[in-house]
Amino acid sequence: VALRLRLARTVGTAWNGLSAQEQLSLQRYLGGLLSMRLADTVSLASAQREFARTRGADRLAVPLSHALRGHLHRLRGELSPALDAFAQSDVSLPLALRAHVTALAQHADRLAHAQTLDALGRGADAAPLYASLRDGPSVWAAPYLTFSPQP
């Protein structure tokens, strides 16, 4: 609960370039990612349902909803639906905004997408996603680099 309140305060004040609704979408997404990391499918499903109610309310709601749905399917072992969801999860935003709001780089989503492709025997399709984890200098990408096969 304290983390959610801290996220709400931070999201509500820190990031220029995002509307209030987009900040709320980002907060939901971050809460969903936390649930994913904890393997809490109930909370992750709840976060994804919250997105479904506001679908289309902003430019982040639809792709971030797909990302959380992909993580949920992946946790449940449903790889084909996870792959479909991840394929629709890329947030199309200017690079400057992605750099300013580091969560929108979607490292966790790209890694899960690549791992899902690998699990389905599609390593060649996964390679560009793994490579994208090394794009650009970012301390936020560092935890994901260990999962990325080296060229």
Side-chain angles (χ1 to χ4, degrees):
V1 174
L3 176 62
R4 282 190 153 237
L5 292 174
R6 198 169 325 129
L7 279 173
R9 267 196 309 273
T10 303
V11 170
T13 61
W15 297 313
N16 296 328
L18 295 179
S19 70
Q21 184 61 44
E22 289 169 336
Q23 291 177 30
L24 181 58
S25 289
L26 186 57
Q27 178 186 358
R28 286 184 182 133
Y29 170 71
L30 293 173
L33 283 184
L34 179 59
S35 298
M36 180 269 299
R37 295 297 256 179
L38 296 171
D40 180 355
T41 57
V42 173
S43 295
L44 181 53
S46 176
Q48 204 278 322
R49 277 193 308 273
E50 287 180 38
F51 267 120
R53 282 190 291 239
T54 61
R55 206 167 181 116
D58 61 72
R59 61 188 165 169
L60 302 182
V62 172
L64 295 181
S65 174
H66 284 299
L68 293 184
R69 189 165 45 89
H71 289 293
L72 182 61
H73 283 301
R74 191 167 153 68
L75 282 174
R76 291 177 174 165
E78 303 162 350
L79 298 183
S80 290
L83 187 58
D84 292 341
F86 286 131
Q88 301 174 63
S89 69
D90 186 43
V91 175
S92 179
L93 290 174
L95 186 58
L97 184 55
R98 279 181 178 259
H100 184 64
V101 184
T102 54
L104 293 177
Q106 294 183 280
H107 294 100
D109 303 336
R110 287 185 282 145
L111 176 61
H113 190 175
Q115 290 174 327
T116 302
L117 285 165
D118 262 344
L120 291 170
R122 295 177 52 190
D125 293 330
L129 286 165
Y130 283 125
S132 76
L133 296 172
R134 294 188 300 274
D135 288 347
S138 171
V139 71
W140 297 101
Y144 301 96
L145 297 179
T146 59
F147 295 100
S148 179
Q150 297 303 312

